[in-house]
Amino acid sequence: MANSAPVVTIGNHSLLYNQWQKMQPWLTYADSDGNPAQKFQFWDGGSAANSAYFWTSTNDHWAANTTIEVAASDLSDVWVRAGAVGGTETLWVRAFDGTDWGNWTSFTLTTIPNTVPVVTVPDVQLHTNTWTQAKNWLTYSDANGDAATKYQFWDSGTSATSAYFWTSTNDHWAANTTIEVAAADLADVWIKGGSTTGAETFWVRAFDGTDWSNWDSFTLTSVNTPPVVTAGDHSIHIDQWVTVDNWLTKTDANGDAITKYQFWDSGTAATSAYFWTPDNSHWAANTTIDVSAADLANVWIHGGSTTGSETMWVRGFDGTEWSNWDTFTVTSTPNTVPVATINDQSLHVNQWVKPQGWLTATDAEGDTITKYQFWDAGAGATSAYFWTPDNSHWAANTTIDVSASDLANVWIKGGSTTGSETMWVRAFDGTAWSNWDSFTLTSTNTAPTATINDHTLNAAQWAQLVNWTTASDADGDAITQYQLWDGGGAATSAYFWTPDNSHWASSTVIDVSASDLANVWVRGGTTAGTDSMFVRAFDGTSWSTWDSFTVTSLANHAPDASISNQTLHVNEWSQVGNLVSYADADANPAAAYQFWDGGGNADSGYFWTSANSHWPASTVIDVNAADLDDIWMRGGATTGSETMYVRAYDGIDWSAWHAFTLSTIV
């Protein structure tokens, strides 16, 4: 059967100039035998240099009147580009099904011509010396949807103070110069407002890659709102100084900073108020006084030397324009001196206080107190005194200057002893001092109290004095020391003991620091009786009155010592310490013992000590209680009995002799 050639159909199409289009979507392929296309051929009949043309991956601009063959599998790589100018041309296409080529199919491609873009800027205002990006004002449009590729600007303002263009390549473009900027760099184009007010014409146009737009002109007006500076009317004291900065109110609708000020004084009298600056201590009237804003704090007005009023003027400059002059009236008035008072005060000795809490200062005109002076008339070495951070002890009869802001740092210390003295204070209101006000400062102290109740001790009994002592101080002062006194003069009376004196003589002042009171002891007398003793305390300033107390010493009870009858073998030894029984009603320990041997035979029992290996009979043998274990008793050399004796001493009295029988057995 014969093959049927394939058929390719395509309609006529229009494209914008230079627009690209894939051919594949435009083509319709048909084959009655159902054979797929194997390849395609294209033909361009437009031979003009700016006409449309085909593009493939193997040739990016196919010449006109050339057969362009493409495998069907590469059809998606075939593009057509519209002409660079408006117009029409005929293009052709056919397909091959592997056996036959189809007929050529023609279609007309119309290139729509370019429409120039439009760029506009409305008339605008810019604050003097203010920067803005030109792109913020531009409106760009293109009927073909083409993006701008570059811009041109033009500035017709030739004045040295007019606005101008800035780019990253030129920070001040001269007027009447074409300024060309790539669209990608449009954000780098800035306009600065003129340094003075005024209007000028600027121009702009855009390029869409093919054509420039028309130039668009716009008017740029550099504007400024003058600042407003005002000063209210004021009254100041005669010869008073004030800084004018505190009187001024400054505003600027554009937010401009005031860069300088001018002042004018219309008061021509020799006694009138006047301006002062660091470079002129007395500005003449009717003179323009220029002051930079940075130096405004250094402009002062001095009140007139007599009462009266005068007109002064002020205006401010915002870097572009001066404000209107503002008038204000300065009235010089008499000054009423302030009043400073401190009432009479009492302080505890060595107490610290701020006199600020005592001080009352007033001013009839409401003037602020700026400083104070203090004076201390107490010249005694122990009197009260003033303290400030720069002097820890102000000498008496010295003027002490203190700024009002430092008043809280002034202290008074009470005298180190009781007494009174006169101090003084006065205040300064910036113009005049108040009268001196005197006040009496009394340094006070309440003496402490120390008491000891009456006590009873056994004979020679020890007691710790701290357990008996009560001390108090109404001012809360710590007790620093005590004094003791023993009024008992008998040799056997009670007495005081301290670590540095084991028996204080009576009628002697005994000084004891408070920290050592626990080391003071009282010993009861060795015979019955009473003793008057005394105590007083010191709080660092004053002694308390002496407090008397009675120590009653009870009579001593002699101790009891005994040894039961003993039996020993011939020549047998026995340690006597194990045999002695001791008792004392007053609980006094034994201090010593005495022994006596009543057997006079040469072969009878006897006592032995380390000091004597055979004590003879009928001899008093003295033994300290601590050495009781050092005495031994030996049985006789022959059998028999004898009487021996023992007694004890409690430090005061001896017990009665106690007899016991020593029997010697075989």
Side-chain angles (χ1 to χ4, degrees):
M1 178 184 290
N3 180 57
S4 298
V7 177
V8 176
T9 58
I10 184 170
N12 296 326
H13 288 278
S14 295
L15 290 176
L16 294 174
Y17 74 100
N18 293 325
Q19 183 179 355
W20 289 96
Q21 173 64 43
K22 269 187 181 184
M23 290 301 299
Q24 188 177 35
W26 285 357
L27 300 181
T28 301
Y29 171 83
D31 187 280
S32 59
D33 302 321
N35 296 323
Q38 298 297 311
K39 49 187 175 181
F40 291 87
Q41 287 182 342
F42 295 91
W43 182 278
D44 173 13
S47 57
N50 52 17
S51 65
Y53 59 86
F54 285 105
W55 177 100
T56 66
S57 58
T58 61
N59 190 330
D60 57 7
H61 189 148
W62 283 94
N65 302 316
T66 301
T67 301
I68 305 166
E69 190 166 304
V70 179
S73 59
D74 293 330
L75 181 61
S76 61
D77 288 335
V78 181
W79 292 74
V80 65
R81 187 185 185 195
V85 295
T88 60
E89 57 195 283
T90 302
L91 303 177
W92 308 76
V93 62
R94 66 175 181 170
F96 182 68
D97 64 359
T99 303
D100 296 299
W101 284 98
N103 294 322
W104 285 99
T105 299
S106 67
F107 63 97
T108 300
L109 176 63
T110 301
T111 297
I112 300 171
N114 181 53
T115 302
V116 298
V118 176
V119 62
T120 60
V121 175
D123 293 339
V124 290
Q125 289 185 339
L126 191 59
H127 183 51
T128 54
N129 295 313
T130 300
W131 291 96
T132 191
Q133 286 176 295
K135 73 181 184 69
N136 296 331
W137 294 343
L138 295 181
T139 300
Y140 172 85
S141 63
D142 188 280
N144 306 129
D146 297 330
T149 60
K150 54 185 174 180
Y151 291 88
Q152 286 181 345
F153 296 91
W154 182 279
D155 170 15
S156 66
T158 57
S159 170
T161 59
S162 65
Y164 60 87
F165 284 103
W166 178 101
T167 66
S168 57
T169 61
N170 190 330
D171 57 8
H172 189 150
W173 282 92
N176 300 322
T177 303
T178 300
I179 306 166
E180 191 164 306
V181 178
D185 294 330
L186 183 61
D188 289 335
V189 181
W190 291 75
I191 299 177
K192 185 182 184 185
S195 58
T196 59
T197 59
E200 57 197 285
T201 303
F202 282 71
W203 306 77
V204 63
R205 67 175 180 169
F207 188 68
D208 65 357
T210 302
D211 295 298
W212 283 100
S213 70
N214 294 320
W215 283 101
D216 181 67
S217 67
F218 62 96
T219 300
L220 173 64
T221 303
S222 299
V223 298
N224 182 65
T225 303
V228 176
V229 177
T230 60
D233 297 337
H234 287 275
S235 293
I236 60 177
H237 298 314
I238 292 172
D239 293 323
Q240 181 183 357
W241 290 97
V242 293
T243 53
V244 74
D245 187 19
N246 297 325
W247 292 357
L248 299 185
T249 300
K250 318 108 176 178
T251 59
D252 189 280
N254 306 129
D256 297 332
I258 306 297
T259 60
K260 57 183 175 179
Y261 295 87
Q262 286 182 342
F263 296 93
W264 182 280
D265 173 15
S266 66
T268 57
T271 59
S272 66
Y274 59 86
F275 285 100
W276 179 100
T277 63
D279 56 341
N280 191 327
S281 61
H282 188 150
W283 281 92
N286 300 323
T287 303
T288 301
I289 306 168
D290 281 291
V291 177
S292 72
D295 291 332
L296 183 60
N298 294 323
V299 180
W300 292 74
I301 293 179
H302 183 263
S305 57
T306 60
T307 59
S309 297
E310 59 199 281
T311 302
M312 293 184 170
W313 308 72
V314 64
R315 67 176 180 168
F317 187 68
D318 65 357
T320 303
E321 295 181 272
W322 284 100
S323 69
N324 293 322
W325 283 102
D326 181 68
T327 65
F328 59 99
T329 300
V330 174
T331 302
S332 300
T333 63
N335 182 51
T336 302
V337 299
V339 176
T341 58
I342 293 179
N343 295 328
D344 294 341
Q345 302 289 335
S346 293
L347 280 183
H348 184 52
V349 290
N350 295 316
Q351 181 184 352
W352 289 98
V353 71
K354 291 183 182 183
Q356 182 182 33
W358 297 344
L359 179 61
T360 300
T362 59
D363 189 279
E365 288 134 5
D367 296 335
T368 300
I369 304 301
T370 60
K371 56 183 174 178
Y372 294 88
Q373 285 183 342
F374 295 91
W375 182 279
D376 173 14
T382 60
S383 66
Y385 59 86
F386 285 98
W387 179 101
T388 63
D390 56 339
N391 191 327
S392 60
H393 188 149
W394 280 92
N397 301 320
T398 303
T399 301
I400 306 168
D401 280 292
V402 178
S403 69
S405 60
D406 289 333
L407 184 60
N409 294 323
V410 180
W411 292 77
I412 294 177
K413 185 182 185 185
S416 58
T417 60
T418 59
S420 295
E421 59 198 282
T422 302
M423 292 184 168
W424 307 76
V425 65
R426 67 174 180 170
F428 187 68
D429 66 358
T431 303
W433 284 99
S434 69
N435 294 321
W436 282 103
D437 179 67
S438 66
F439 61 98
T440 300
L441 178 66
T442 303
S443 300
T444 64
N445 184 63
T446 304
T449 300
T451 58
I452 295 178
N453 293 328
D454 296 339
H455 286 275
T456 299
L457 293 176
N458 290 326
Q461 181 183 352
W462 290 99
Q464 203 172 9
L465 191 68
V466 70
N467 297 325
W468 293 356
T469 306
T470 300
S472 62
D473 190 278
D475 303 318
D477 298 332
I479 305 302
T480 61
Q481 65 185 110
Y482 292 87
Q483 284 184 342
L484 307 170
W485 181 279
D486 174 11
T492 59
S493 65
Y495 60 87
F496 289 106
W497 179 99
T498 64
D500 56 340
N501 192 326
S502 61
H503 187 148
W504 281 92
S506 62
S507 302
T508 303
V509 175
I510 306 170
D511 284 292
V512 178
S513 69
S515 60
D516 289 333
L517 186 61
N519 294 324
V520 181
W521 294 75
V522 177
R523 186 178 191 237
T526 56
T527 59
T530 59
D531 291 282
S532 292
M533 292 185 168
F534 299 84
V535 64
R536 67 174 181 171
F538 187 66
D539 64 359
T541 302
S542 303
W543 285 100
S544 68
T545 58
W546 285 102
D547 180 68
S548 66
F549 60 99
T550 300
V551 174
T552 300
S553 299
L554 299 177
N556 186 57
H557 296 87
D560 289 316
S562 62
I563 295 177
S564 61
N565 294 331
Q566 298 294 319
T567 300
L568 290 176
H569 294 291
V570 172
N571 295 324
E572 181 183 0
W573 291 99
S574 177
Q575 195 174 21
V576 175
N578 297 327
L579 307 176
V580 176
S581 295
Y582 175 85
D584 189 277
D586 303 318
N588 292 326
Y593 290 90
Q594 287 182 341
F595 297 90
W596 181 279
D597 175 9
N601 294 330
D603 53 2
S604 64
Y606 59 87
F607 288 104
W608 177 100
T609 67
S610 58
N612 192 327
S613 60
H614 188 151
W615 281 91
S618 302
T619 302
V620 174
I621 306 168
D622 286 291
V623 178
N624 289 329
D627 297 328
L628 185 58
D629 288 340
D630 194 37
I631 186 165
W632 292 73
M633 185 168 58
R634 185 180 186 187
T638 60
T639 60
S641 296
E642 56 196 289
T643 302
M644 291 188 170
Y645 299 86
V646 62
R647 67 174 180 172
Y649 183 65
D650 64 2
I652 301 171
D653 294 303
W654 285 99
S655 68
W657 283 103
H658 174 77
F660 64 95
T661 301
L662 172 63
S663 299
T664 300
I665 61 175
V666 176

